[in-house]
Amino acid sequence: MVGIAMLMPTTMFAATPADTLVQRNIDEVVCVSIQPVVATQVLSGVQLQRLNSCSVADAVRFFSGVQIKDYGGVGGLKTVDVRSMGSNHVGVFIDGLQVGNAQNGTVDLGRFSLDNMEEVMLCNGQKTDICLSAKEYSTSASIYLRTRKPIFANGEQWHTRVALRGGSFGTINPSVVFEQKINNKISLLANAEYLYANGKYQFEYHKKQQLPNGQTIAAWDTTGTRHNDDIEAVRIEGGVFGTTWHLKGYCYKSERGLPCAIVRNVWDSKQRQWDCNVFVQGEYFITLNDNSSVRLSGKYSNDYMRYYNPDSTSLYVDNKFTQQSVYASSAYVVGLKQWLNVNVSADYERNWLNANINNFASPVRNVMLVALATTMQFKQCRVQANVLGNYISDAASSEDSKQWTLKHTPAFFVSVVPIGNIRLQGFFKKMFRMPTFNDLYYTEIGNTMLQPEYATQVDLGVELKRFFVHSNATLTTNVYYNKITDKIVAVPKGNSLYRWMMMNVGKVEVRGIDVRGTMQSTMGAVYSNMQLTYTYQKAQDITDPSDNGPRGTYRGQISYIPKHSGSLTCNAEAHSVSLSYSFVYVGERYHVSANIPENYEPSWYTHDLMIAKSWTMLHGSEVRLSAAVNNLLNQQYDVILNYPMPGRNYKIELKLTI
């Protein structure tokens, strides 16, 4: 028996359990919920609210094995790195379809609000459901964002939720959600949000330098105000949902300041960035018979970005980029045996980029992906194996011919339950990523001869579960090894340090351990839950064995990757009052692979606290008031060198649901 994996189970702060298949019949359509072969990390529902996070980037930092690069403040760029693979190896999917960026390969997670988000999931390797598009096999790690879908009780026809948030940095953040039931099979949802913040905050900058003899001296000691960190953004989303299909539209438009690094007594920047991201996407699920199903999906996106730097003393820039893409996918699932399912999927994507730069290449990329995957389910063992064919061509507008890149990458996942509540799991996966348009064609930097960047992943883990009278607990431990070859890095071009070129010269080796423990309990009227994560990573630069001197980079910890990091979240609820606490720790790091005292970056940590109270009003409407303080101890720290983060700050939210 086989069907479409539409009913994705959710658990709070826990890996998804390895249960049996669950079948539900909805209007003649057979849907199957299948648990993943390898455990995932999930934040869903009210758990996202308890974290006191504003964006997806704020929530993802509570996953083990994840590092967030944050350039500071409300409007700062936020990208994610999973297990030191690099941001370009992480795929971000919203409602099942990938958010692409062929220009620079990274996705700013700060632009995705949690206001309309129902679930955030992290999958190492890949998602291991039955019915996946070929695109979902093509990443080394994936972040899945699932937005809210309307749910109506008997007799309900519509819902409205209005929220108003405000706080430090001059933040004003109203939002509204409207849900309408058209009939028993069709509903719609509309969501709009506005964000404004002046981004100004005080910071104390204490920069210490470690001398070769081990002595630490003060290199910086100053107090200032962060400027040019403002943001004004509007997000509008809409969706129509049927029993077996959905259609979604999204528009995000923003203007923000780009704060500068605090160096050479430069405190202010005039650099600005404008973004306008629009996409329309949809999915349709078809059940052909009891043993086969089809998933069809498609997407069109248009991304505009303008970068403006009026400082003529350095380099005057006013660049405008427009990237468009079209994407179509089909996946066919068939059950050959009771224990054997096969998925065949094929995708096509076309990306093209234009800019107002003289002699810009205006590149076009065609991508065809074909995947063959099998899932085998036995009594105490589940296995998935797949191979992905990648057929990619790049061409510049000035070129007549296209050069195709043909690559095939395998993956193997296995999960075994030897006894009771113990599960052993592991996977092996080979993957690669194509150079981005910026790597290939950007003026004075691009190199059209670049080869793909290859990655190999090996993971072994164990999951333990214990169930008690009033509580349950889960402990998951994973040991992993990653190796990246032909890593794309910037190297000097000729004898000039002002001209650089992208080259395939990098190699990185990562050995790590992820530990995640969760516990939920109910004692009388009090419900509580807790999650503790710890990550150890030895991520070394192995590019040049000859560069192994006292100031060399060989076997040095790569930039901004701490050996030790972790987080703790706790929540307690009773009688419509909830109290939440979260703690994030990032150990000492180096901002380049030469692990010498001059490049040392100290550890940092933050404490966040939130209290909330809910009231039930007339006709079942609800009012929720929450107050939060972030960075409770007012620690002064940098995530990225010379980009100071905010100190203690506050937020208040009032939410009305009708």
Side-chain angles (χ1 to χ4, degrees):
M1 178 178 60
V2 69
I4 305 168
M6 293 171 58
L7 305 177
M8 177 57 61
T10 59
T11 56
M12 295 179 292
F13 286 102
T16 316
D19 297 328
T20 57
L21 297 181
V22 179
Q23 175 180 322
R24 294 184 176 92
N25 293 299
I26 304 177
D27 295 337
E28 304 280 332
V29 177
V30 179
C31 301
V32 171
S33 174
I34 184 170
Q35 307 296 341
V37 179
V38 178
T40 59
Q41 298 183 66
V42 180
L43 298 173
S44 60
V46 294
Q47 294 293 341
L48 292 173
Q49 297 181 15
R50 294 169 183 155
L51 287 179
N52 185 31
S53 300
C54 297
S55 70
V56 169
D58 297 325
V60 167
R61 64 188 179 140
F62 291 98
F63 290 145
S64 61
V66 171
Q67 297 297 328
I68 297 293
K69 289 187 176 181
D70 191 331
Y71 290 84
V74 180
L77 178 69
K78 298 173 176 63
T79 61
V80 63
D81 185 359
V82 178
R83 293 184 172 180
S84 304
M85 301 288 288
S87 300
N88 291 330
H89 285 275
V90 182
V92 179
F93 295 81
I94 183 166
D95 292 334
L97 280 80
Q98 187 173 14
V99 180
N101 189 339
Q103 181 180 349
N104 59 30
T106 61
V107 177
D108 181 10
L109 293 180
R111 88 181 207 214
F112 296 106
S113 170
L114 293 178
D115 181 62
N116 193 38
M117 204 64 64
E118 185 64 25
E119 180 181 89
V120 179
M121 175 190 297
L122 172 64
C123 303
N124 288 301
Q126 66 192 38
K127 201 175 183 181
T128 53
D129 288 348
I130 290 178
C131 190
L132 296 181
S133 65
K135 194 83 168 178
E136 293 175 90
Y137 296 107
S138 68
T139 58
S140 300
S142 303
I143 294 175
Y144 283 85
L145 312 178
R146 182 165 61 86
T147 58
R148 181 183 177 92
K149 181 179 179 180
I151 299 177
F152 300 94
N154 291 335
E156 292 183 336
Q157 295 295 321
W158 59 276
H159 296 148
T160 299
R161 185 176 78 246
V162 180
L164 177 62
R165 306 171 192 86
S168 302
F169 325 123
T171 301
I172 301 174
N173 183 206
S175 65
V176 59
V177 177
F178 177 76
E179 302 170 351
Q180 176 69 52
K181 181 178 180 181
I182 305 301
N183 54 45
N184 291 333
K185 294 184 178 181
I186 300 176
S187 60
L188 61 84
L189 181 147
N191 176 218
E193 180 180 19
Y194 172 79
L195 171 64
Y196 170 80
N198 59 39
K200 295 181 180 179
Y201 56 87
Q202 300 287 326
F203 65 92
E204 299 175 5
Y205 212 46
H206 306 287
K207 181 66 175 177
K208 296 182 180 180
Q209 181 178 351
Q210 189 175 7
L211 299 179
N213 61 7
Q215 182 183 1
T216 301
I217 62 173
W220 287 74
D221 189 356
T222 187
T223 300
T225 301
R226 199 66 165 135
H227 294 285
N228 200 46
D229 197 23
D230 60 297
I231 184 172
E232 185 173 18
V234 176
R235 177 182 58 83
I236 301 175
E237 294 184 53
V240 183
F241 301 85
T243 305
T244 60
W245 59 272
H246 74 263
L247 183 66
K248 179 184 181 66
Y250 174 96
C251 178
Y252 175 85
K253 190 174 183 179
S254 68
E255 178 187 352
R256 70 186 71 195
L258 299 178
C260 63
I262 306 299
V263 293
R264 300 187 183 94
N265 287 325
V266 177
W267 298 83
D268 199 3
S269 167
K270 302 300 182 183
Q271 300 176 41
R272 309 289 295 176
Q273 180 173 315
W274 291 261
D275 291 280
C276 184
N277 309 108
V278 178
F279 68 74
V280 178
Q281 68 181 44
E283 283 190 316
Y284 182 36
F285 299 89
I286 307 170
T287 297
L288 302 178
N289 51 52
D290 291 341
N291 296 317
S292 60
S293 305
V294 174
R295 172 191 176 189
L296 303 175
S297 55
K299 181 174 184 176
Y300 168 78
S301 62
N302 186 306
D303 299 312
Y304 168 84
M305 189 268 283
R306 177 190 176 193
Y307 169 70
Y308 176 63
N309 180 11
D311 187 1
S312 58
T313 61
S314 56
L315 179 65
Y316 176 84
V317 177
D318 189 1
N319 289 343
K320 301 175 183 178
F321 299 91
T322 300
Q323 178 185 318
Q324 299 181 72
S325 68
V326 292
Y327 169 78
S329 171
S330 64
Y332 173 69
V333 180
V334 60
L336 300 180
K337 298 287 185 180
Q338 183 73 19
W339 51 271
L340 176 62
N341 302 318
V342 176
N343 176 24
V344 180
S345 55
D347 295 5
Y348 171 75
E349 183 176 23
R350 180 180 176 90
N351 296 281
W352 58 98
L353 177 68
N354 293 305
N356 66 336
I357 303 174
N358 291 333
N359 300 318
F360 188 71
S362 298
V364 177
R365 173 170 293 173
N366 291 277
V367 180
M368 290 189 291
L369 303 173
V370 179
L372 174 63
T374 61
T375 302
M376 291 168 280
Q377 172 68 54
F378 305 102
K379 185 176 181 180
Q380 293 178 302
C381 178
R382 181 174 295 140
V383 177
Q384 177 173 309
N386 61 264
V387 61
L388 175 67
N390 304 264
Y391 309 94
I392 304 169
S393 75
D394 282 353
S397 58
S398 59
E399 298 174 351
D400 297 327
S401 61
K402 299 179 181 179
Q403 184 175 359
W404 286 88
T405 300
L406 310 178
K407 302 292 179 182
H408 297 83
T409 52
F412 179 81
F413 296 76
V414 62
S415 173
V416 179
V417 182
I419 55 173
N421 296 316
I422 299 178
R423 179 166 74 146
L424 306 178
Q425 58 192 21
F427 70 85
F428 167 84
K429 184 172 184 179
K430 293 186 73 69
M431 190 46 58
F432 79 101
R433 69 113 175 157
M434 285 294 293
T436 66
F437 283 159
N438 283 359
D439 294 336
L440 293 166
Y441 304 110
Y442 201 79
T443 306
E444 294 295 333
I445 296 178
N447 177 6
T448 58
M449 302 303 292
L450 284 176
Q451 298 299 310
E453 182 178 296
Y454 294 88
T456 300
Q457 299 170 270
V458 180
D459 178 284
L460 293 174
V462 58
E463 181 183 71
L464 307 176
K465 292 190 176 183
R466 291 295 303 271
F467 298 91
F468 306 96
V469 176
H470 299 290
S471 62
N472 62 80
T474 303
L475 177 65
T476 305
T477 303
N478 288 83
V479 179
Y480 55 89
Y481 171 83
N482 300 331
K483 186 175 183 179
I484 303 174
T485 57
D486 288 336
K487 188 170 179 64
I488 300 171
V489 298
V491 297
K493 184 178 180 181
N495 296 322
S496 173
L497 293 179
Y498 297 95
R499 301 181 66 196
W500 295 71
M501 177 177 286
M502 309 306 294
M503 301 288 288
N504 290 107
V505 298
K507 295 181 181 179
V508 173
E509 201 170 54
V510 183
R511 295 174 177 87
I513 301 174
D514 287 347
V515 180
R516 184 177 69 257
T518 67
M519 176 175 287
Q520 298 88 32
S521 64
T522 303
M523 300 293 292
V526 179
Y527 167 79
S528 63
N529 66 69
M530 180 179 68
Q531 174 183 264
L532 177 67
T533 69
Y534 167 76
T535 298
Y536 170 81
Q537 289 188 95
K538 192 173 183 179
Q540 297 177 305
D541 183 344
I542 59 171
T543 300
D544 185 4
S546 65
D547 189 14
N548 59 356
R551 305 178 69 84
T553 62
Y554 184 68
R555 291 292 178 184
Q557 188 83 350
I558 63 176
S559 59
Y560 292 112
I561 300 298
K563 286 188 176 180
H564 306 279
S565 60
S567 66
L568 171 67
T569 59
C570 303
N571 171 260
E573 294 183 21
H575 305 293
S576 70
V577 177
S578 67
L579 180 65
S580 301
Y581 164 79
S582 60
F583 169 78
V584 173
Y585 170 80
V586 174
E588 56 189 16
R589 305 145 294 148
Y590 293 87
H591 58 258
V592 294
S593 297
N595 295 174
I596 57 179
E598 297 93 309
N599 301 329
Y600 174 82
E601 294 298 313
S603 61
W604 60 267
Y605 54 85
T606 60
H607 302 266
D608 302 333
L609 193 64
M610 182 178 73
I611 186 170
K613 167 68 176 175
S614 299
W615 295 270
T616 300
M617 311 296 285
L618 296 176
H619 308 294
S621 59
E622 183 180 88
V623 176
R624 184 176 185 270
L625 178 64
S626 64
V629 54
N630 297 321
N631 196 355
L632 183 65
L633 301 184
N634 196 35
Q635 188 191 32
Q636 307 296 311
Y637 68 100
D638 294 3
V639 176
I640 302 298
L641 176 65
N642 297 324
Y643 285 84
M645 297 292 291
R648 186 185 300 112
N649 58 90
Y650 308 90
K651 184 177 73 173
I652 296 177
E653 179 185 63
L654 178 63
K655 184 180 295 184
L656 171 63
T657 303
I658 302 175

